[in-house]
Amino acid sequence: MSAGTRRDVDVERVRRLAVSSGGRIGIVTLPIAGRPRFVLDLGYATVGSTAYPVVRRDASRVAIDLAPRHPLQPPVTTVLTPVFHPHVFASGIVCIGSRWLASEGMDLFVQRLIRLLAFDPLLMNPLSIANAAANAWYRSALGRHPEAFPTDPAALALAVDEVPPDESAAHDGATEPEARVMRRCPSCRMGLRLPAGRSGTVRCPGCGRDFHTNT
């Protein structure tokens, strides 16, 4: 598939995602030849400053610049509105780590981005920090206001597999994503989304403590 064809496929996927979002995802700019950039308004709450949760940022504007060799290279994502997040550099560039796969459609990428900005505990990685000050604040705020994270439960309702599915999976009767429930670490109060119907010992990715839980 040529880069131009893949870009067109991703544009259509993002269009469909915006339509299905009930107005929460707004399209400002779509990529065209010579300007491979998405600009989207995301109507999901995140943290704009240390004033959270008293002051909430209810929406963000992001730019997603496709790489010259898209999709073989990951896009560069920049949050254009003020955000205070452990995985967003002071410049606004989002650290997505090594989670990019060429098979990941841009609709799945956008959903994953929304979940990250909403502090989905499954995507918060203490070993990959872009903003140390934001991370220190988050660890403290999570202990003082555990009910305030994730910042927008609707973001976690976006069903996105941690490993993007094969392109053909949508057409061959792929199973539904496994149901998950929220459990909090008894030590640092970090929220973990765990598979439902399980029992066992879990290691918190935030503080490293092992604890037993039932889901």
Side-chain angles (χ1 to χ4, degrees):
M1 180 183 294
S2 70
T5 301
R6 172 58 186 266
R7 183 192 65 222
D8 293 342
V9 169
D10 279 328
V11 166
E12 182 57 30
R13 286 173 170 169
V14 172
R15 286 186 190 274
R16 293 199 302 265
L17 178 64
V19 170
S20 67
S21 72
R24 280 184 175 262
I25 300 173
I27 295 174
V28 180
T29 299
L30 290 172
I32 58 175
R35 191 193 65 197
R37 164 175 273 206
F38 290 91
V39 178
L40 305 173
D41 285 334
L42 307 178
Y44 298 84
T46 187
V47 173
S49 72
T50 57
Y52 181 85
V54 176
V55 179
R56 295 164 55 88
R57 171 162 295 284
D58 291 327
S60 303
R61 176 166 288 189
V62 300
I64 303 172
D65 292 294
L66 303 182
R69 297 181 61 217
H70 178 74
L72 300 180
Q73 298 172 309
V76 175
T77 303
T78 307
V79 184
L80 303 178
T81 48
V83 65
F84 195 58
H85 195 290
H87 297 312
V88 179
F89 290 97
S91 63
I93 293 178
V94 179
C95 176
I96 64 170
S98 59
R99 291 176 176 264
W100 174 256
L101 291 179
S103 60
E104 181 173 20
M106 194 52 54
D107 53 343
L108 297 182
F109 179 77
V110 170
Q111 291 178 69
R112 182 155 59 88
L113 173 63
I114 291 169
R115 287 170 50 200
L116 179 68
L117 293 178
F119 291 77
D120 181 344
L122 282 180
L123 299 182
M124 301 301 294
N125 182 0
L127 302 179
S128 179
I129 299 301
N131 187 324
N135 187 56
W137 170 85
Y138 169 61
R139 304 308 312 166
S140 174
L142 184 63
R144 289 181 286 112
H145 306 285
E147 76 289 345
F149 298 95
T151 56
D152 195 328
L156 271 61
L158 297 170
V160 182
D161 293 336
E162 291 306 302
V163 178
D166 186 85
E167 192 68 27
S168 62
H171 306 287
D172 60 7
T175 59
E176 293 294 322
E178 185 174 19
R180 292 178 179 267
V181 298
M182 181 72 74
R183 292 291 182 267
R184 292 198 178 276
C185 171
S187 178
C188 69
R189 303 300 297 167
M190 181 177 185
L192 288 74
R193 290 178 64 213
L194 304 172
R198 305 286 182 87
S199 177
T201 299
V202 177
R203 173 161 293 179
C204 174
C207 66
R209 174 176 174 175
D210 292 336
F211 64 96
H212 187 273
T213 187
N214 296 308
T215 58

